[in-house]
Amino acid sequence: MANRFAALFGSMACAVLGAGLLSPLHACGQEQDGQPAQESLPPLLAPVENAMNALDAPRDYLSGKFVDFVRNVDSFFGDDRNYQETNDSVLQIDISRVVGYGGERKFVVAGRAKLHLPVAEKSLHLLLETDPDKNATVNPTQSQTPIKKTDAPESYAAALRYEKAGAERWHFSADGGLQFAGLSSSPFARTRASLAMPLDDAWRMKLAESVFWFNTIGAGESTQLDIERPISEPALFRATSSATWLNDKQNFDLRQDFSIFHTLSERTALLYQASAIGVSRPQTQVTDYVLLLSYRYRLHQDWMFFDLSPQLHFPKERGFRSSGVLSMRLEMLFGGTK
């Protein structure tokens, strides 16, 4: 890719230089014939101008309405992408209950916070979160709405994060901290990088890569690929492929989501999602298929939301027979993300 851009840039430079050298001679020839010099660009510059115009499309795309629309959707749903890449302080508290397959008759409280420190132009953040090792993997509960059993937090963590972003195209972060479980503590480290690029006028691709080490689960790597496009003004389609490698288990945790986000009003939105969850060992296989509908309603102002999600699971452990689930969640989002 870099060589192609270098070649294109070199060709453009040669063309522009050649046009600059030839245009005076062209004008002199016209004046000698008694013809006035034309103000239009020489024919040699026409391909260069077309190439430059073609380069405007990616810039307009990334800075246009589509990117703003995607950002607003992720912000409204409290999406992990928004939490990871926003440069504002964010506090997210979830009170969840799952009934049916894999559920328990109890409410579970979880949360995380990212507070920017008043130094280095918001490049440094203080992180507080529950179960950071579970958040690092392709966990079935890590989507816009839980799609499996919700467990009470087993650990808490504090970390310091460095972040850097560029023109809405890429984002980089690295953090390290301590994870606390009861009276014991252990260090951990993570780094994450993402890159967004347009595929054409309607489609966008975003690739995110994470590398981490936790004392509880060891070293690992996670890759997430999003392919998305707006269907219409209130709807967004997204296909997400995720894979996490855990070195201690020598196994890939795999997940594929097909999602449609449908904004009904300023207070209400729907998520339609079909998912397949699997593993690579002892052989590559699907362990659960999921169909879900998530209704999200903004209860108060711009920080309190309620999610209601009926789901159908088809787990391998039950011979892929359908198993019903109902997930309920009260979420509070504080910060400058709305």
Side-chain angles (χ1 to χ4, degrees):
M1 182 65 74
N3 294 334
R4 293 177 59 188
F5 276 114
L8 178 61
F9 180 78
S11 301
M12 291 181 181
C14 292
V16 172
L17 180 59
L21 294 175
L22 293 176
S23 57
L25 298 178
H26 180 72
C28 291
Q30 288 183 334
E31 290 178 354
Q32 290 177 356
D33 295 338
Q35 298 177 355
Q38 297 180 0
E39 296 181 358
S40 60
L41 291 173
L44 185 60
L45 275 185
V48 178
E49 183 182 21
N50 293 335
M52 296 300 292
N53 290 337
L55 294 177
D56 287 339
R59 179 189 63 81
D60 295 339
Y61 176 91
L62 288 175
S63 60
K65 293 183 179 179
F66 178 33
V67 175
D68 292 336
F69 176 50
V70 173
R71 186 188 301 112
N72 290 336
V73 167
D74 289 339
S75 177
F76 185 87
F77 276 89
D79 191 271
D80 183 67
R81 300 165 182 82
N82 179 74
Y83 174 84
Q84 294 293 343
E85 300 189 2
T86 181
N87 200 33
D88 295 301
S89 296
V90 182
L91 171 61
Q92 181 175 348
I93 300 174
D94 297 336
I95 304 174
S96 307
R97 181 179 178 183
V98 177
V99 296
Y101 165 65
E104 294 182 2
R105 296 196 173 190
K106 63 179 181 180
F107 290 93
V108 176
V109 180
R112 56 185 176 176
K114 180 167 70 169
L115 310 172
H116 75 258
L117 301 178
V119 293
E121 297 182 354
K122 296 186 179 181
S123 294
L124 292 177
H125 293 77
L126 175 64
L127 303 182
L128 304 171
E129 60 186 297
T130 57
D131 292 333
D133 49 352
K134 294 181 180 179
N135 295 334
T137 62
V138 179
N139 191 308
T141 64
Q142 299 306 307
S143 82
Q144 290 76 19
T145 185
I147 62 172
K148 205 174 180 184
K149 180 178 178 180
T150 302
D151 297 321
E154 298 176 355
S155 64
Y156 303 86
L160 188 65
R161 168 175 291 185
Y162 170 79
E163 287 187 279
K164 194 70 175 177
E168 299 179 351
R169 286 177 176 264
W170 60 270
H171 182 274
F172 172 80
S173 66
D175 54 84
L178 289 175
Q179 182 177 0
F180 302 91
L183 298 178
S184 63
S185 63
S186 58
F188 67 91
R190 295 174 296 198
T191 184
R192 180 183 184 274
S194 68
L195 176 66
M197 62 184 68
L199 299 178
D200 57 27
D201 293 339
W203 291 88
R204 184 176 78 150
M205 178 183 74
K206 187 170 186 178
L207 178 65
E209 184 81 15
S210 301
V211 179
F212 54 86
W213 175 83
F214 289 89
N215 187 54
T216 53
I217 61 175
E221 174 273 337
S222 181
T223 300
Q224 179 172 294
L225 176 65
D226 292 327
I227 305 292
E228 55 196 10
R229 67 160 294 167
I231 300 175
S232 61
E233 182 63 28
L236 171 72
F237 169 79
R238 174 181 288 157
T240 301
S241 304
S242 304
T244 296
W245 169 259
L246 294 177
N247 186 64
D248 289 354
K249 294 183 177 180
Q250 292 289 296
N251 173 65
F252 278 104
D253 293 326
L254 307 170
R255 177 167 171 170
Q256 177 66 53
D257 296 326
F258 296 99
S259 308
I260 295 178
F261 303 85
H262 187 193
T263 303
L264 302 179
S265 68
E266 293 183 356
R267 302 178 69 95
T268 308
L270 293 173
L271 167 64
Y272 313 91
Q273 185 168 292
S275 303
I277 301 168
V279 294
S280 64
R281 295 191 62 175
Q283 61 186 13
T284 302
Q285 59 183 320
V286 176
T287 57
D288 195 8
Y289 293 101
V290 184
L291 297 175
L292 69 82
L293 168 67
S294 178
Y295 171 81
R296 186 168 175 89
Y297 180 72
R298 179 162 56 86
L299 286 172
H300 181 66
Q301 298 294 334
D302 58 356
W303 58 270
M304 183 176 289
F305 297 82
F306 175 71
D307 283 347
L308 183 65
S309 178
Q311 309 167 18
L312 273 181
H313 288 245
F314 301 86
K316 183 177 182 295
E317 64 187 34
R318 293 191 174 187
F320 296 106
R321 294 189 301 271
S322 62
S323 303
V325 174
L326 179 63
S327 170
M328 297 169 285
R329 178 172 62 173
L330 178 67
E331 185 173 73
M332 289 166 279
L333 291 169
F334 302 92
T337 60
K338 293 290 184 291

